[in-house]
Amino acid sequence: MTSVPCDVKDLKPPAEGQLIEIVNGQIKVPDNPVIAYIEGDGIGPEIVRSAKAVIDAAVKKAYGNKRRIVWWEIVAGEKAQEHCGELLPKATIEAIRMTKAAMKGPLTTPVGGGYRSLNVAIRMALDLYANIRPVRYYGQPAPHRYADKVNFVIFRENTEDLYAGIEWPPGSPEAQKVMEFLKKEFGVELRPNTGIGVKPISEFATKRLARKAFQWAIKHKNRVVTIMHKGNIMKYTEGAFMKWAYEVATTEFREYIVTEQELYEKYNGQLPEGKILVNDRIADNMLQQIITRPWDYEIILAPNVNGDYISDEANALVGGIGMAAGMNAGDYIAVAEPVHGTAPKYAGKDVANPTAEILSGVLLIAEHLGWSEVGKIIEEAIRRAIADKKVTQDLARHMPGVTPLKTSEYTQALIEYIESM
Ligand code: NAI
């Protein structure tokens, strides 16, 4: 195995590539950018290998020899434990800070004990505050009658809400102290033996996420951005999230935006060409609306917990987790990772579906680096493979009479589609 960096002082990106730079607040991507990758645990190494190969083929198709990605392996999880004696070496975080772009496979998180999520640790360490999850239909077998109408991008806040990890076990001295404080200061009495969690939602974190979502909507000519919240009940957290998101829309993006109220008062219910409708939906309604009226939604802006629920539901509409891509982005750094986990039962068997990892890589290359041609090529290859029934077992089992391809065979098929375009 090639050596992987365990120590910050040994960090040396591959000499044949150049680092992405920030110039005047903009990302400047060289023609041979160094991109870090983490294989991850379980099925991670197989699907990351597949994603790298498919991306390389598409970059070659799009730009010939003019551009290429120089991949740099860094480690986290079991491989890091084995080679560096720790699960998340500081060198890994620093390497991503250097490259500003990374693609990772899934990492194991023990349930109900053991270490905290390495994925969350990476997002927190690099302040990757926006979790961006496109949900698209590529013709795969899907349980929903309107699957072909699904085309969402979910912007989920990544650093706050009940995920912030501010919680204390029932009966603990900390919980007891908080309960005493609430009783003494506010006359709020909780039952004995109550677990307590804190739900922080700030103006700063809400507004920077909203900004990213509106910038995306403008760039991609989306027609609607919907704020998902439960502000009728949680007025000062989710209600505030809604208010701040509207504030960003109507102050920073005024010339692009039409609110729902304006739509009826000024425009007779017809959205003018080139404008973006911003509206909001209460979370429970939103969860059913994307099933009953998926065509009404494009960009969904949500606090952390709502974003978690709706992205799984949305992905289920179009056939599930093997296709579900994601990217965690900060102001200048992005780390792509699929929504799914390590699928331990398939690890090492060459059967997992690499599409979610590939599409996560597409987000990184097409959106973060701005090499959009690569995204178009890969998405078209995936569409053709599915139309020709060349799919892995998770999709094949819903397609009568179809023999599944192995991960490596499916990867090869995608590369052949790309080369023949
Ligand atoms: P999972 O996503 O690994 O698996 C859920 C189901 O989907 C299983 O039946 C699995 O076999 C199937 N599946 C997942 N990905 C697939 C693929 N690419 N192709 C075909 N089938 C696929 O979720 P689970 O079982 O809850 O978690 C397993 C481990 O992954 C846990 O340690 C968990 O903490 C971790 N995890 C890591 C994530 C990350 O690194 N971002 C995200 C989610 C879970």
Side-chain angles (χ1 to χ4, degrees), residues 43 106-109 119 321 337 339-343 345-346 353:
I43 58 171
L107 292 165
T108 304
T109 306
N119 306 300
I321 208 139
E337 63 173 355
V339 171
H340 65 69
T342 58
K345 68 177 181 221
Y346 296 143
N353 187 350

Side-chain angles (χ1 to χ4, degrees), residues 41 43 47 104-111 115 117-120 123 133 321-323 328 337-346 351-357 392-395 397:
D41 302 326
I43 58 171
I47 60 176
K104 67 175 277 292
L107 292 165
T108 304
T109 306
V111 177
Y115 52 88
S117 164
L118 300 175
N119 306 300
V120 175
R123 289 171 210 160
R133 294 180 167 179
I321 208 139
M323 309 284 293
N328 298 298
E337 63 173 355
V339 171
H340 65 69
T342 58
K345 68 177 181 221
Y346 296 143
V351 296
N353 187 350
T355 310
E357 184 75 50
T392 46
Q393 54 83 28
D394 55 317
L395 299 186
R397 68 188 162 183

Side-chain angles (χ1 to χ4, degrees), residues 9-74:
K9 69 177 177 358
D10 299 330
L11 276 180
K12 210 180 283 162
E16 59 282 21
Q18 283 177 284
L19 294 174
I20 292 172
E21 290 177 285
I22 308 300
V23 180
N24 298 328
Q26 298 288 326
I27 288 201
K28 187 165 167 248
V29 182
D31 284 337
N32 54 346
V34 178
I35 297 199
Y37 72 96
I38 296 170
E39 283 189 342
D41 302 326
I43 58 171
E46 301 156 67
I47 60 176
V48 168
R49 194 180 313 129
S50 164
K52 280 165 48 205
V54 170
I55 291 168
D56 284 344
V59 170
K60 187 149 200 231
K61 184 77 200 173
Y63 311 116
N65 292 328
K66 192 177 168 292
R67 284 179 169 170
R68 84 178 171 105
I69 286 166
V70 177
W71 298 101
W72 181 22
E73 183 173 14
I74 55 174

Side-chain angles (χ1 to χ4, degrees), residues 17 132 169 180 192 242 254 288:
I132 305 170
E180 280 161 18
M242 176 198 76
R254 184 64 267 189
Q288 61 152 338

Side-chain angles (χ1 to χ4, degrees), residues 23-343:
V23 180
N24 298 328
Q26 298 288 326
I27 288 201
K28 187 165 167 248
V29 182
D31 284 337
N32 54 346
V34 178
I35 297 199
Y37 72 96
I38 296 170
E39 283 189 342
D41 302 326
I43 58 171
E46 301 156 67
I47 60 176
V48 168
R49 194 180 313 129
S50 164
K52 280 165 48 205
V54 170
I55 291 168
D56 284 344
V59 170
K60 187 149 200 231
K61 184 77 200 173
Y63 311 116
N65 292 328
K66 192 177 168 292
R67 284 179 169 170
R68 84 178 171 105
I69 286 166
V70 177
W71 298 101
W72 181 22
E73 183 173 14
I74 55 174
V75 284
E78 287 158 18
K79 198 164 180 179
Q81 186 65 44
E82 189 185 322
H83 290 275
C84 308
E86 55 182 326
L87 288 158
L88 184 57
K90 199 155 178 278
T92 293
I93 299 294
E94 291 313 310
I96 301 174
R97 231 190 278 284
M98 271 171 122
T99 57
K100 300 186 180 53
M103 179 172 78
K104 67 175 277 292
L107 292 165
T108 304
T109 306
V111 177
Y115 52 88
R116 286 192 92 96
S117 164
L118 300 175
N119 306 300
V120 175
I122 293 171
R123 289 171 210 160
M124 290 295 190
L126 296 163
D127 197 22
L128 305 175
Y129 56 83
N131 185 219
I132 305 170
R133 294 180 167 179
V135 184
R136 300 211 169 99
Y137 180 67
Y138 295 95
Q140 65 271 28
H144 192 36
R145 174 160 124 203
Y146 303 135
D148 61 334
K149 305 284 190 302
V150 170
N151 191 359
F152 313 137
V153 183
I154 297 161
F155 280 75
R156 170 186 172 193
E157 207 288 324
N158 231 356
T159 64
E160 297 195 327
D161 205 345
L162 292 165
Y163 275 75
I166 312 170
E167 53 175 8
W168 300 282
S172 65
E174 293 86 353
Q176 196 55 39
K177 219 168 171 176
V178 173
M179 283 164 66
E180 280 161 18
F181 176 81
L182 290 174
K183 186 170 173 192
K184 183 158 164 271
E185 298 293 326
F186 302 113
V188 173
E189 199 151 355
L190 299 177
R191 296 191 181 98
N193 219 22
T194 293
I196 296 179
V198 176
K199 180 180 172 79
I201 291 194
S202 71
E203 178 177 8
F204 173 76
T206 303
K207 286 192 165 176
R208 65 180 179 173
L209 176 77
R211 221 165 267 136
K212 258 203 190 319
F214 289 114
Q215 283 161 351
W216 176 294
I218 292 164
K219 179 174 165 202
H220 293 275
K221 301 191 167 32
N222 289 110
R223 302 274 290 156
V224 53
V225 175
T226 304
I227 307 159
M228 174 187 186
H229 64 90
K230 189 80 184 169
N232 53 334
I233 306 296
M234 293 172 257
K235 295 184 195 303
Y236 309 120
T237 50
E238 303 213 358
F241 180 91
M242 176 198 76
K243 176 177 147 274
W244 290 320
Y246 270 123
E247 255 172 48
V248 169
T250 53
T251 55
E252 299 178 31
F253 299 94
R254 184 64 267 189
E255 71 267 38
Y256 300 101
I257 293 295
V258 172
T259 63
E260 206 156 33
Q261 196 181 356
E262 291 164 350
L263 183 69
Y264 293 99
E265 282 177 7
K266 281 199 205 161
Y267 301 107
N268 214 7
Q270 294 297 316
L271 187 67
E273 201 50 45
K275 296 278 185 188
I276 300 165
L277 172 67
V278 54
N279 57 15
D280 70 276
R281 296 286 179 269
I282 303 278
D284 35 357
N285 181 26
M286 183 84 221
L287 289 166
Q288 61 152 338
Q289 289 264 316
I290 64 161
I291 296 177
T292 53
R293 305 180 58 79
W295 47 83
D296 279 349
Y297 299 96
E298 292 183 23
I299 306 287
I300 299 167
L301 180 55
N304 211 334
V305 178
N306 292 342
D308 188 25
Y309 297 153
I310 197 161
S311 54
D312 266 41
E313 185 201 19
N315 276 302
L317 299 179
V318 294
I321 208 139
M323 309 284 293
M327 180 167 78
N328 298 298
D331 286 335
Y332 300 113
I333 301 177
V335 177
E337 63 173 355
V339 171
H340 65 69
T342 58

